[in-house]
Amino acid sequence: AQSVAQPEDQVNVAEGNPLTVKCTYSVSGNPYLFWYVQYPNRGLQFLLKYITGDNLVKGSYGFEAEFNKSQTSFHLKKPSALVSDSALYFCAVRDAAGGSYIPTFGRGTSLIVHP
Amino acid sequence: DTAVSQTPKYLVTQMGNDKSIKCEQNLGHDTMYWYKQDSKKFLKIMFSYNNKELIINETVPNRFSPKSPDKAHLNLHINSLELGDSAVYFCASSPQGDQPQHFGDGTRLSIL
């Protein structure tokens, strides 16, 4: 079975400050991990993924995420937040060992960046 | 140059009606999906269609039925619409393996 948790419904940060959006996961085998962003009235857009290799993954719009196997976490980060980063962020996981190829999504975290 | 397109974007109808939502992807992906996003923004997988294999989320009422005329299309037909069906429905596609999904911009269904 696979599952993912985003413990924060909302994250507030001031523009220019670093931001972190948290994600933890559970899979039987190795994980494929993804972050997506959803702007109002739009579909989800892919930001970045971890499949294997370097634990620090860089993605679109200056975002990055760090894979931590011991803590089963894949937190999304950005060194300096922009007001335009305000959106809904989803973490997703799929078990690389097989079984279902359908990823499991977290409940989403609303990021609000204040000017 | 839309990758995953859904029509209509908005759908307002009355309880008891039957409606369809169309989805097309021009990415050559093998797998297509339908998701329901409720008012709390929670994403729920409804169906997945991969190489003629249909995977159904058992919690989806049988009033919902996916139809795939070919690999590039996965339409969603809904019979006897209910108030609780009001939501945003997203179509997505992906290649096989470790690649991400590509989403359409959603169909906003409102039941009067």
Side-chain angles (χ1 to χ4, degrees):
Chain A
Q2 58 192 35
S3 66
V4 62
Q6 293 182 241
E8 302 152 318
D9 289 337
Q10 185 170 303
V11 169
N12 290 277
V13 64
E15 188 175 31
N17 283 0
L19 69 88
T20 298
V21 183
K22 295 180 180 177
C23 171
T24 59
Y25 67 90
S26 175
V27 294
S28 303
N30 291 320
Y32 291 157
L33 291 156
F34 305 87
W35 275 104
Y36 293 84
V37 60
Q38 184 181 23
Y39 298 102
N41 299 315
R42 299 298 304 275
L44 278 68
Q45 298 176 29
F46 169 69
L47 275 180
L48 50 79
K49 67 179 181 181
Y50 172 83
I51 303 301
T52 187
D54 194 347
N55 289 343
L56 185 63
V57 178
K58 294 189 183 296
S60 306
Y61 312 120
F63 284 93
E64 58 189 29
E66 186 165 12
F67 171 65
N68 187 316
K69 188 171 184 177
S70 62
Q71 296 186 8
T72 61
S73 67
F74 189 56
H75 300 332
L76 181 70
K77 300 181 180 185
K78 187 173 182 181
S80 178
L82 300 172
V83 172
S84 58
D85 292 329
S86 298
L88 188 59
Y89 290 81
F90 289 94
C91 181
V93 67
R94 184 166 83 77
D95 194 333
S100 172
Y101 56 83
I102 302 173
T104 297
F105 282 82
R107 298 186 68 88
T109 299
S110 178
L111 173 66
I112 299 175
V113 181
H114 302 276
Chain B
D1 200 22
T2 305
V4 180
S5 60
Q6 299 179 226
T7 53
K9 190 172 178 69
Y10 298 95
L11 185 54
V12 181
T13 189
Q14 293 188 333
M15 268 197 321
N17 285 350
D18 302 338
K19 291 292 179 185
S20 292
I21 306 173
K22 295 185 177 181
C23 178
E24 176 182 4
Q25 55 99 1
N26 62 6
L27 299 166
H29 289 168
D30 293 318
T31 308
M32 295 185 73
Y33 313 79
W34 276 107
Y35 287 88
K36 178 181 180 180
Q37 187 174 45
D38 62 22
S39 58
K40 295 186 178 180
K41 307 297 184 183
F42 180 57
L43 268 178
K44 174 184 169 183
I45 181 71
M46 300 178 71
F47 304 101
S48 173
Y49 208 86
N50 176 36
N51 289 332
K52 299 185 180 181
E53 180 191 12
L54 177 63
I55 297 178
I56 301 173
N57 184 329
E58 61 187 13
T59 67
V60 175
N62 57 16
R63 298 182 293 104
F64 290 80
S65 57
K67 299 185 191 304
S68 181
D70 55 57
K71 198 173 87 165
H73 297 83
L74 183 64
N75 303 325
L76 181 65
H77 189 75
I78 316 169
N79 288 328
S80 302
L81 281 157
E82 300 178 357
L83 288 174
D85 298 333
S86 294
V88 182
Y89 292 84
F90 286 100
C91 177
S93 71
S94 69
Q96 292 189 7
D98 58 13
Q99 298 305 306
Q101 294 169 300
H102 295 248
F103 285 78
D105 278 338
T107 295
R108 285 142 190 85
L109 175 62
S110 298
I111 310 301
L112 302 178

